[in-house]
Amino acid sequence: MPEQLSIVELISNASLVVQLVMASLGLASIISWGMIFQRWFYLRSVVASVDEFEDHFWSGIDLQKYAKELEDRVDLTGIEQIFVAGFREFRRLSDQSGADPESIMHGAQRAMRVALTREEEQLETHLPFLATVGSTSPYVGLFGTVWGIMNSFRSLANMSQATLASVAPGISEALVATAMGLFA
């Protein structure tokens, strides 16, 4: 009966290059999944805070009083910061004598765009890393596969009689590298 190969044995018997490829893919995968879950929890809280803000905003309350209430808080969420920035600039420009209504609105919109840009940067944290890992991991895994198959054929060239049993472990280790690249 042929001997069963475990994934642990395949990894431990793999060449150093393939082991490094697998280790880097494993590390990238662990870091990526950590970032994915962190982003998921963060985005869920952002959606909840947006819903809460909209409910409060559209409830018919006095917006000046609501803006003052928000300005006194320290833990503002993204949409609250955008609202406060726009309302603060609106009030500042409105208090100036002879201010043009159109310039007041443009100033408030500009302040809100700046606050929105800051919030977008916060929401997009870790996305470049995740995009890089997602787009390069299959190719890194493929490199490990090619390297493992090359080693299998190199060892096959040194044998007088080649059998599938002599080549299968090397090809299996190479395919593990591909699977890890796809998983990462």
Side-chain angles (χ1 to χ4, degrees):
M1 171 149 225
E3 174 184 330
Q4 293 290 327
L5 291 176
S6 73
I7 291 181
V8 174
E9 287 177 10
L10 289 173
I11 293 172
S12 64
N13 294 333
S15 67
L16 180 62
V17 173
V18 175
Q19 285 180 343
L20 289 173
V21 166
M22 289 183 200
S24 65
L25 289 171
L27 182 63
S29 179
I30 290 168
I31 292 170
S32 295
W33 283 106
M35 288 179 178
I36 289 167
F37 283 118
Q38 186 270 337
R39 290 281 89 193
W40 184 66
F41 288 123
Y42 179 73
L43 291 175
R44 276 187 45 194
S45 71
V46 167
V47 168
S49 69
V50 166
D51 290 342
E52 182 181 325
F53 173 82
E54 285 182 345
D55 289 344
H56 214 77
F57 183 84
W58 294 110
S59 68
I61 63 168
D62 181 19
L63 291 182
Q64 288 186 11
K65 190 163 83 171
Y66 186 48
K68 180 67 177 144
E69 177 185 316
L70 290 177
E71 285 175 352
D72 294 339
R73 283 186 25 207
V74 186
D75 60 334
L76 293 180
T77 61
I79 195 164
E80 291 170 340
Q81 288 181 356
I82 295 168
F83 171 71
V84 167
F87 206 83
R88 186 180 295 140
E89 185 67 11
F90 176 80
R91 264 199 324 248
R92 187 185 72 77
L93 293 174
S94 295
D95 290 344
Q96 295 176 356
S97 61
D100 178 32
E102 191 172 319
S103 65
I104 292 172
M105 290 308 295
H106 284 298
Q109 288 173 347
R110 184 176 51 251
M112 291 174 77
R113 273 195 301 274
V114 169
L116 177 64
T117 301
R118 280 191 217 119
E119 292 307 313
E120 285 175 343
E121 288 173 2
Q122 182 67 27
L123 289 172
E124 293 172 354
T125 302
H126 304 309
L127 285 184
F129 177 81
L130 292 172
T132 301
V133 168
S135 63
T136 60
S137 290
Y139 298 109
V140 173
L142 187 59
F143 170 74
T145 302
V146 169
W147 195 270
I149 290 176
M150 265 183 3
N151 285 339
S152 289
F153 285 136
R154 192 175 306 134
S155 68
L156 185 63
N158 296 332
M159 295 181 181
S160 59
Q161 185 166 351
T163 63
L164 183 59
S166 61
V167 179
I171 293 175
S172 296
E173 88 182 25
L175 293 176
V176 169
T178 301
M180 289 182 78
L182 293 174
F183 182 73

